[in-house]
Amino acid sequence: MPRKPKRSCRYPGCSKLTERAYCEEHQRLMNSHYNKFSRGYDSNERYNSAWRKIRTRYIKQHPLCERCLAEGRYTPADLVHHKKPLSDGGTNENSNLMSLCYSCHEIIHGRGGQNL
């Protein structure tokens, strides 16, 4: 199947062609901007190497999406979600974690970030 034609980077004054909204250089800049101003925290500080170890361990223990599994579907888990967000006092304890597929994670956050 043919690919879409490349278009100019959305960053003002950049004429590089890209398949995404921003070229690689400006995508990193926009991600940094998002982390600093929209999220209110730097995700690299909150989700450091200790978190990656916890996430890897939890995904190995729970390889299927827990929401899909409850509905009788067997979908591989893509990420680990905090039931109670860290910003609200949640922890990285197993009781506060849940393995989810991307679809279920988007459903949770699409409702305004309601917890389960």
Side-chain angles (χ1 to χ4, degrees):
M1 176 170 267
R3 295 180 145 200
K4 289 183 180 180
K6 291 186 176 183
R7 56 182 181 247
S8 295
C9 174
R10 283 188 186 172
Y11 196 82
C14 182
S15 61
K16 292 180 184 174
L17 296 177
T18 181
E19 293 175 352
R20 298 179 178 188
Y22 298 99
C23 63
E24 283 186 39
E25 175 187 351
H26 293 120
Q27 185 62 53
R28 284 192 299 272
L29 180 66
M30 296 309 291
N31 287 345
S32 172
H33 186 270
Y34 172 77
N35 280 338
K36 186 174 182 180
F37 296 107
S38 297
R39 278 190 155 173
Y41 62 87
D42 184 2
S43 63
N44 293 328
E45 290 177 12
R46 186 172 288 180
Y47 298 110
N48 55 20
S49 62
W51 164 249
R52 287 189 290 275
K53 289 176 186 174
I54 293 167
R55 180 204 174 280
T56 301
R57 178 185 41 80
Y58 193 84
I59 279 280
K60 283 182 181 177
Q61 292 172 353
H62 304 89
L64 299 175
C65 173
E66 295 179 35
R67 288 192 75 199
C68 289
L69 197 57
E71 297 173 6
R73 296 187 313 259
Y74 298 96
T75 310
D78 297 310
L79 44 85
V80 176
H81 174 74
H82 288 92
K83 295 176 186 176
K84 183 176 183 180
L86 295 175
S87 60
D88 292 339
T91 65
N92 288 330
E93 298 293 322
N94 279 357
S95 60
N96 190 43
L97 301 177
M98 162 180 249
S99 60
L100 295 174
C101 63
Y102 286 120
S103 178
C104 288
H105 191 255
E106 288 301 311
I107 289 170
I108 289 172
H109 288 285
R111 293 187 207 148
Q114 292 178 352
N115 298 327
L116 297 176

